[in-house]
Structures are given as C-alpha cells and as structure tokens.
Amino acid sequence: MRFRHPDGSTVHLAYCTNVHPAETLDGVLAQLRDHCEPVRRRLGRDRLGIGLWLAKDAAHALVSDPSALRGLRTELDRRGLEVVTLNGFPYEGFGAEEVKYRVYKPDWADPERLEHTTSLARVLAGLLPDDVSQGSISTLPLAWRTHYDDRRAETARTALVSLAERLDALQELTGRDIRVGLEPEPGCIVETTADAIAPLTAVGHDRIGICVDTCHLATSFEDPHTALDALTEARVPVVKSQLSAALHAEHPHLPDVREALAAFDEPRFLHQTRIATAAGLRGTDDLGEALKGDALPDASPWRAHFHVPLHAAPVAPLTSTLPVLKAALTQLVGGPHPLTRHLEVETYTWQALPAELRPRARSQLADGIAAELTLARDLLTDLGLKELP
C-alpha cells in the first residue's frame, strides 16, 4: 500500500511474511498464493506491499539463479504484490517448534550474517518495483548480549563497514539504493534506540541505520519522542519501522493478571519481559521466568515482547502498547517530512497466541492481517497521508 505524504513523497506500508513460515523458494511462492494475495483481495486493493522474510536457503536460491529471481518478480506482479523491504533478522528456522535464542544466530561477528545480508540486498535490488529506487532490510541488532566481547564487537563493526561498501557498489551496478537497519530488541547488545547510536556512528555510513520496532520500543519503556529526537540529533537514519504492539500488564502483582499473563507464556518464541524502576530497567529473558516467584518487582507495570495483533488488544486485565505505536507513528510520518518511508506491520505471533485467540483456518489469518493493515492505514490517513491507488 502506498501513501502520499504532504511533502509529496511516497510512504510504503507492508506486512511482514515471517508470519507464514517457509524456508525454501517454493514455500515463498506458495505464501504469495495462499496468504498474501488473499489479504490483498480482502482489502480491495489492486496492489499490496509485503515485507518478505527470506530464509537462508530461499535467499541463496534467488541470488544464485537469475531466472529464479525473475520468476519471483513475475509472480509478485501477477498477484498484485510489491516488495520494497525485507526482514533480514531471522536467518533460518523461524517456523520451528522452538525458536527462542536460535533467532540471534548467526550474529554480526559471524561471517554468515554478512554474506546472507549481502545476498538479501542483491535480491531486493531485483525485486523493487520499476518506479522505486530505494529498498530497506531490517537485521539483527549486532548480537544477543552474552558471549560478546570487544573482539567480536570489532569484528561486527568491520562487517557492517564491509556491508556499506557492498551496498555502495550495488547502487553503482543497479541504480538501486538498498539500506540496512539494525533492529533494537530487548536482551540484545543493541537493546534500545539509544544503544544503537554509538555503533552506528562508528560505522558512519548513511546506508546503515536503524529499524524502529514499536513493540521493542515499548517493551523497553522508551518514550517515542525522546528516542526519535535523539536519533535525529545523532543523524542516525531510520531505515524502516515495524509497526507492532507489546503486551502490557498494569498491575502484575494481582493474581488474575498473573493468570492472564501465563496464557501468553508459550514455548516457541522468547518473550522478554521488562519493568521500569527508579534504578533503571529490569527484566527477564522470557515471560515464564518473570512469572516465577520474585524474579521481577511487581509494584509497577510489566511489558512483554509479545507481538499482539494491532487491532485486537488482549481482554482485561491485560492490554497492548498500541498508544506507543501511535505516538511513534505520529513522529515518524506526521511531521513536515517523514523520518522513514518504509512501514511494516509485523505480527508474527498469531499462531503463538493463547489457543482461544489463534486463527483456526487460513481464511481467519487473512482476515486478521487485513484488519491490522486497515488499522495502520487509518492511522496514516488520520495523520494527513493520502492513500494511493
């Protein structure tokens, strides 16, 4: 979906396909048929943006076979779909029964991460619509916080500098400007937007910036205006933003709140949980750990890294951090010029919701994704952007 900003520029809205697990190119093509095109039809649009997640094997198939890449581009066009952004965070296995810490490997100190991201950039250059010159890729925020020392930090910095050089060369070759954004996430070396400023300044290249995920922003109790103002002041480019909402518990000391939270403690993904205290942010790596005994103080609200559907906040006594998303979006695209032109709804946890909230059929999932995109579209038009055909 495309929108015209009051300054005349185009803002793109997509939804991320990591909600549809696929490790191979054949699986990606099936996603387009079974999920993405049905969502487009529900929205009554001739064209729908999707943020592709390409696992290692799918990316390799596309970058090593020009005919396969042309075939994917043709299939996108045939189904009324377009791609301006990729999710390059998960490397492989995102559809596994247990993902947890595996999603942070390989990290930016491992050569596989640089090679994979380079492949994604080359693929994206071939998938961009003819009238779009800039693409974006979100990626791991350097590494998970453990087993990361000064040597690995320097290796990661060098890898990002190499990536920037490769992106420069790619533009020289193709005319396509591909940018990569570190995506701060709780528990990682770059946990907050503030944590991103130093390493990105050290790289010092405008093709390497930040991806602001509004669920992660909220989980870390970051104020959107403070965070985005600091990025602007530091001249860190916002490459893209993922529109998402975290799980919020206002009164975690109450038994019924604990019981409601426990329904979201599931075995597939990490749900890092945080509380803001007078001494700073405290947290656990997972929601189940937070619910055990006194692992966290409970005198003030908890937030958990659980991407809840934008249009369907959990029932009381829980809620979502949709207000944080709205505040961030206002600053991202509500000013005289957009801070980013790539927005992506990223709710990959539909099948991890409590059993009674999960879609039971493919059609229900398409309905839910379409509803999320409708909410995002309404927020954008309320900010003065005009939806384009």
Side-chain angles (χ1 to χ4, degrees), residues 51 72 107 120 123 146 174 200 251 258 307 319 341 344 357 384:
L72 176 56
D107 65 34
L120 292 178
V123 168
T146 54
T174 67
L200 290 174
H251 302 292
R258 294 287 186 120
H307 291 229
T319 187
R341 294 182 174 88
E344 179 184 59
L357 302 178

Side-chain angles (χ1 to χ4, degrees), residues 51-377:
L52 275 181
W53 172 59
L54 298 172
K56 174 195 67 171
D57 289 345
H60 178 74
L62 290 166
V63 80
S64 61
D65 183 355
S67 65
L69 184 57
R70 288 193 298 269
L72 176 56
R73 172 66 188 276
T74 299
E75 189 70 1
L76 288 165
D77 291 342
R78 186 169 78 88
R79 298 194 180 278
L81 306 169
E82 67 178 13
V83 175
V84 303
T85 188
L86 300 180
N87 185 333
F89 195 135
Y91 181 70
E92 61 183 345
F94 201 62
E97 291 185 4
E98 183 177 329
V99 179
K100 298 289 185 181
Y101 295 95
R102 291 172 51 191
V103 76
Y104 306 107
K105 287 293 187 178
D107 65 34
W108 273 102
D110 299 319
E112 294 89 351
R113 178 60 66 172
L114 173 60
E115 296 310 314
H116 177 60
T117 309
T118 302
S119 294
L120 292 178
R122 292 171 59 190
V123 168
L124 183 54
L127 293 181
L128 287 178
D130 293 340
D131 61 345
V132 175
S133 62
Q134 189 174 98
S136 62
I137 301 171
S138 48
T139 189
L140 180 79
L142 297 183
W144 186 252
R145 69 182 185 278
T146 54
H147 309 297
Y148 192 78
D149 55 19
D150 290 346
R151 179 185 61 82
R152 291 184 68 79
E154 178 58 24
T155 301
R157 189 196 69 80
T158 301
L160 288 172
V161 170
S162 297
L163 176 65
E165 294 169 349
R166 295 180 185 188
L167 296 177
D168 286 343
L170 186 63
Q171 184 174 35
E172 288 287 328
L173 182 65
T174 67
R176 302 300 178 91
D177 176 14
I178 308 299
R179 302 187 175 206
V180 174
L182 302 183
E183 181 186 330
E185 177 167 315
C188 292
I189 291 297
V190 175
E191 173 157 343
T192 66
T193 57
D195 294 336
I197 291 174
L200 290 174
T201 302
V203 173
H205 199 291
D206 62 5
R207 294 195 206 280
I208 311 295
I210 193 169
C211 168
V212 176
D213 183 300
T214 58
C215 169
H216 303 171
L217 190 80
T219 302
S220 295
F221 287 87
E222 289 195 82
D223 175 72
H225 298 295
T226 302
L228 293 171
D229 283 349
L231 293 174
T232 300
E233 178 69 21
R235 298 187 178 182
V236 171
V238 181
V239 169
K240 67 185 277 191
S241 179
Q242 289 172 328
L243 307 184
S244 52
L247 191 63
H248 180 95
E250 186 69 17
H251 302 292
H253 66 285
L254 296 177
D256 63 327
V257 176
R258 294 287 186 120
E259 183 179 356
L261 283 171
F264 287 84
D265 177 28
E266 54 83 36
R268 187 169 170 189
F269 300 110
L270 278 186
H271 301 296
Q272 300 95 313
T273 304
R274 297 290 184 267
I275 181 173
T277 74
L281 206 62
R282 287 188 56 182
T284 59
D285 285 355
D286 215 345
L287 179 56
E289 182 184 351
L291 291 169
K292 291 177 182 176
D294 57 355
L296 281 184
D298 59 9
S300 56
W302 287 2
R303 289 178 179 172
H305 173 216
F306 195 117
H307 291 229
V308 295
L310 301 188
H311 68 292
V315 298
L318 303 179
T319 187
S320 82
T321 60
L322 186 62
V324 176
L325 184 159
K326 292 178 178 179
L329 192 62
T330 298
Q331 188 140 343
L332 285 166
V333 299
H337 304 287
L339 299 183
T340 184
R341 294 182 174 88
H342 291 177
L343 305 172
E344 179 184 59
V345 171
E346 197 214 11
T347 305
Y348 58 83
T349 46
W350 276 94
Q351 299 300 341
L353 290 167
E356 67 275 12
L357 302 178
R358 293 176 200 164
R360 289 178 169 78
R362 186 183 296 168
S363 61
Q364 290 179 311
L365 178 59
D367 289 342
I369 294 169
E372 289 194 285
L373 285 166
T374 297
L375 183 147
R377 177 186 65 191

